[in-house]
Amino acid sequence: LYIFHQKVRSYLKINPYNRSILNEISEILFEVAHYRDNPVDIINIAISEITNRKYELPAYRTINEFVLTIRKKVNEKLCKELISKLSEDMINNLEALLELDTMYNRTLYNDLKQFPKSPTLNHIKEWLDHLEWLESLGNTESYLNHIPYQKLINFAEEAKVLDASEMKDINKPKRYTLILSLIYQAQIKTRDNLVEMFLKRMTTIHNSAKDRLEQVHLQNRSLNEELIDTFGNILQIYYE
C-alpha cells in the first residue's frame, strides 16, 4: 500500500501531507478569518491553498480543528479589541441589560431580541418608541467599526439564541461583543422598518393627493363647460 502511495504521489507530483503545510498557510487563514466567519468558507480556502502547494490533503477532522482554532483566536482578538474601547459607564449599561426586573420577571435583554408588532402604519408610534430606546443605549457603531459586517451578523445571531443567564456565563469580551452586535442589528432593522413605513405613508399621501387633484380637474372641467355654455348663450342673445 505504501509503495502504491509513493507511485501515485510521484505520478501526480504531490508531496505527502505533514503538519508544516498547515503552519505555512496559517497566516493566510488568519487573514481570511477576519472577514469570513463561516468555518466552511475558511476550510475551502485551506483546501485550495494546500492543493496549490502540491500537498496531499490531511483528514477532514485535522483541517476542521485547525480552522476552528484559528477562527476562535481571531474572534477573541476582535472581542478584546472591542472591550478596550468601552467606558465604565457603557460596561455598566450593558450589564444592566442582563439584570432581572423582579416586578416584570424579565430582563431588558429580552427586549433586544423582540420587536414591536408588525411594521405597519398603525404601529409606527411603537416602533418610534422602540428606536428611541435603542438609540439611548449608545452609538454602538463606534465600538464595532473594526469588526467586519458579516461577523457582526453572526455575533448578533448567536446572541439571539442565548438568554440573559447564559450570556452571563460567557467571558466579558465576548459577552459585550455579542450584546453590542445585537443592539447594532436591532437599531438597523428598526430604522429600516421605520423608513419603509414612512415611504408607505408618503405613497398613501401622494396617491390621495393625486386622486384629489383629479377630482379638482373634473370639477374645473365641469365649471369650464358651464361657463362656455353660458358665454355661448350670451353671444347668441347678443347677435339676435
Side-chain angles (χ1 to χ4, degrees):
L1 182 62
Y2 289 109
I3 293 174
F4 286 151
H5 284 174
Q6 292 173 1
K7 289 185 177 294
V8 170
R9 292 188 192 108
S10 176
Y11 179 78
L12 296 176
K13 298 180 181 179
I14 60 174
N15 301 304
Y17 164 75
N18 63 70
R19 184 73 183 183
S20 64
I21 186 59
L22 294 182
N23 296 330
E24 186 178 332
I25 66 172
S26 61
E27 187 175 345
I28 295 174
L29 298 185
F30 267 105
E31 182 66 23
V32 171
H34 275 83
Y35 299 96
R36 298 192 181 184
D37 200 57
N38 190 337
V40 174
D41 293 336
I42 307 174
I43 288 172
N44 286 336
I45 292 174
I47 292 173
S48 177
E49 292 295 329
I50 292 173
T51 55
N52 287 342
R53 287 168 170 76
K54 300 295 183 180
Y55 274 88
E56 275 185 314
L57 292 175
Y60 176 79
R61 179 179 177 182
T62 301
I63 298 181
N64 184 54
E65 290 178 351
F66 186 68
V67 164
L68 291 180
T69 300
I70 288 179
R71 177 175 173 267
K72 181 180 178 181
K73 289 180 179 179
V74 169
N75 287 347
E76 287 176 348
K77 175 177 173 291
L78 294 173
C79 293
K80 288 178 180 178
E81 188 174 342
L82 178 138
I83 199 173
S84 67
K85 298 180 180 181
L86 298 179
S87 65
E88 186 174 347
D89 288 340
M90 176 56 81
I91 290 176
N92 292 335
N93 290 338
L94 295 178
E95 289 291 351
L97 294 172
L98 304 176
E99 295 303 320
L100 180 67
D101 187 330
T102 54
M103 180 179 296
Y104 299 101
N105 196 32
R106 59 183 291 124
T107 65
L108 289 175
Y109 181 71
N110 288 329
D111 294 336
L112 284 177
K113 300 189 290 183
Q114 298 176 357
F115 290 93
K117 297 177 182 179
S118 57
T120 61
L121 297 178
N122 294 330
H123 302 135
I124 192 168
K125 178 64 168 59
E126 297 173 37
W127 281 86
L128 286 170
D129 291 341
H130 189 65
L131 179 61
E132 184 178 358
W133 174 66
L134 290 173
E135 297 287 358
S136 72
L137 299 178
N139 179 18
T140 54
E141 188 173 0
S142 62
Y143 300 111
L144 301 169
N145 53 20
H146 66 291
I147 302 178
Y149 185 68
Q150 186 57 51
K151 278 191 176 290
L152 291 179
I153 293 176
N154 291 341
F155 286 150
E157 290 300 318
E158 184 177 350
K160 283 180 184 178
V161 301
L162 300 173
D163 59 30
S165 61
E166 291 171 326
M167 190 64 74
K168 287 183 177 181
D169 293 334
I170 299 174
N171 64 72
K172 290 183 177 181
K174 184 175 181 180
R175 183 193 312 166
Y176 300 147
T177 302
L178 294 182
I179 297 175
L180 283 170
S181 298
L182 183 59
I183 294 173
Y184 179 64
Q185 290 299 312
Q187 289 173 339
I188 290 177
K189 182 175 180 179
T190 304
R191 291 193 201 102
D192 288 347
N193 284 333
L194 280 168
V195 169
E196 185 177 347
M197 284 186 272
F198 174 76
L199 292 176
K200 287 181 180 178
R201 174 62 59 87
M202 294 304 298
T203 300
T204 301
I205 293 173
H206 175 75
N207 291 337
S208 177
K210 187 177 179 180
D211 292 341
R212 178 58 183 157
L213 181 61
E214 186 64 27
Q215 292 175 3
V216 171
H217 284 164
L218 290 174
Q219 292 173 357
N220 288 340
R221 184 182 303 169
S222 299
L223 180 60
N224 289 337
E225 290 174 353
E226 291 178 5
L227 289 174
I228 291 172
D229 289 342
T230 302
F231 185 67
N233 292 333
I234 292 173
L235 287 177
Q236 184 178 359
I237 294 172
Y238 176 78
Y239 284 113
E240 288 177 353

